[in-house]
Amino acid sequence: VLSATESDRVRVVLVNSRNPLNIGAAARAMSNFGFSRLRVVHPYLVAFQEAKSAVNAGPILTEAEQFEQLPEAVADCSLVVGTTAGARRELEEPLSSLEDAAAIIRARLCSGSKVAILFGSEKVGLSNHDLSHCQLLLRIPTRTDHPSMNLGQAVAIVLYEFVRQTDTESEPETASALNRPLATAGEKERLIALLLQALSFGGYPHRTTPATIEAKVRRLVRHLALTPSDLHHWLGLLRQLLWKLRATQRPPQE
Amino acid sequence: VLSATESDRVRVVLVNSRNPLNIGAAARAMSNFGFSRLRVVHPYLVAFQEAKSAVNAGPILTEAEQFEQLPEAVADCSLVVGTTAGARRELEEPLSSLEDAAAIIRARLCSGSKVAILFGSEKVGLSNHDLSHCQLLLRIPTRTDHPSMNLGQAVAIVLYEFVRQTDTESEPETASALNRPLATAGEKERLIALLLQALSFGGYPHRTTPATIEAKVRRLVRHLALTPSDLHHWLGLLRQLLWKLRATQRPPQE
C-alpha cells in the first residue's frame, strides 16, 4: 500500500545495537520490504563496521547513517515511534498494538511526514530517556512470559506490518486527523529549549530538578501536533516571555 | 485469537536448514508468540546439534523432533502449508498472501486440525518435491527485487500473522492513542488566560494590541489537541512562569 516515496520517508533507527548480525538482519528485512534509510545511534563501533563490511552488505548498510545522539538521528522526523516489550516500565505514552500503530504511521507517511521507528539494544531495549523522545509507543504482541524479541526479527515484523495491508482502505478518518504537515522533532527541540530557559529563571520549584523538568517539558511538547507555522508563532511568544523575564531580572540595587 | 490448545496444533517444520543461528532464531520467535512444536527435516546435523546445545536453547529446541524425510514430519497434520518467495517457480498450488493463508490456517486450527508450516533452506527454499506435499502455499509480501527472506525473520513474521488478530475486534487501542478524550474549549480558555497574563507583563511589543495578541493566542491554543491531563501540566508550567515574572516585577527602588 505504501508508495516508494512513502517508504522513503521511514527511518529505521537502531539505538545502541551491539551485534553486527542483527544490524545486518535489520538491513536485509528493510530491503525485503522496500525501505532504505537505516540510522544507527551510538552503535558499538566494531559491530557497525563489521556489519557494513560483510560480504553481502547491500547499499542499505553501506549508506547507513551514524549518529552519536538520538535527537540528531530523529531531528528531521515529525513522528517518532518507540518499540517496546512494554512489560517492565511505567509508560507515560500511549502504548499501541503494532497493528494500530501501523495505521497511524501509514497515515502520517501518506501526508508527507517523515517517521522514525526506534529499536533498542538487544539486551535492554530502549531506555526511558530514549522513550522520552517518542510520541507513540508500539508493542509487538509477544507472550508476556517471553516478550523480548530478537532485534532482526522485530524489525522484520514491524516493516511487514507497514506493507501488509493490501485490501483495507486507507482509514480516512485517521488520515484527516493527521494529514497536516507537522513540525519535526528537531524544530520542536527549539521550543523545548526556550521553555526550559524560561522555566530555569530564578531557580526551580521545590523538589524538582532540571532533569525532571526537561523530561516533563519534552513529553508535553512531543504531544503537540504543531504545524511548522504554529510552531513558529509559539517560538515568537516564548521569546517575548523570555525577554520580559530578562528585562525584569536586573539586579534591584540599580 | 488462538488459544493455547490451538497454538499447540501448529508444527513449524524447517526443511534442510543449515545454519544453527537460524534454527535458534526460529525457536525464539516460536516462544515469543506461543508456539512450541518445532520439527526439523534432514537438517545439517552439526547445525542442529549446535542450535540444541546453545546456552539459551529453551525447551522448544531441546524438544525439537528430527525427521529424515518430509512425509514423516507432516504425517499427523491435516493441512500442510508451504512458504515460498514465489518468484521463480511454476507453482501448482494456489498461492495465497500470508494474510489470507493465516485466516485459513486459523480456521483449521479452531476446528481441531493440526497444521504444518514448512520453511525451506536458507539457500534455495523449499524444493518442488517439498512443495508437492503442500495443500496451500503462502507468500510473505516481499519486494520482487529482493524476495528472499532470512529464515528466522520469515518464521517470525508468519507466526506474528497467526497471533496478530487479537485486537481487531476491540479497537480501543487506537482510540487511546489518537481519539483520546481532549480538553474542552472551556478548559483551554484557562490556558489562554494565563498566557495572556504572562504576555501582558510590562506591556506589549510595538504595533501589537491586546486584541490582536488575544486573537493570536486563542487561535494557537485552539489548534492544540490537548488531553485534560496535559492541559493541567501546561497550566502548571505557565503558573510557574507567571510567578517568576511577578517575583521579579517588584519596583527596583525597594
Side-chain angles (χ1 to χ4, degrees), chain B residues 129-147:
Chain B
H129 182 73
D130 299 333
L131 292 174
S132 75
H133 288 271
C134 299
Q135 293 127 292
L136 178 67
L137 301 183
L138 71 80
R139 171 167 148 65
I140 298 172
T142 47
R143 281 196 306 148
T144 44
D145 286 355
H146 186 183

Side-chain angles (χ1 to χ4, degrees), chain A residues 9 56 78 92 129 144:
Chain A
R9 295 189 185 119
N56 55 356
S78 56
E92 293 191 345
H129 183 72
T144 45

Side-chain angles (χ1 to χ4, degrees), chain B residues 90-128:
Chain B
E90 285 288 317
L91 297 168
E92 293 188 350
E93 299 308 310
L95 181 61
S96 296
S97 73
L98 169 55
E99 207 172 346
D100 293 341
I104 296 168
I105 291 163
R106 272 192 303 268
R108 287 292 189 95
L109 294 171
C110 292
S111 71
S113 297
K114 291 174 183 161
V115 178
I117 321 289
L118 275 51
F119 295 87
S121 77
E122 293 85 350
K123 288 270 185 209
V124 295
L126 294 168
S127 70
N128 284 337

Side-chain angles (χ1 to χ4, degrees), chain A residues 169-179:
Chain A
E169 309 82 276
S170 58
E171 292 98 317
E173 76 279 28
T174 334
S176 68
L178 285 167
N179 59 14

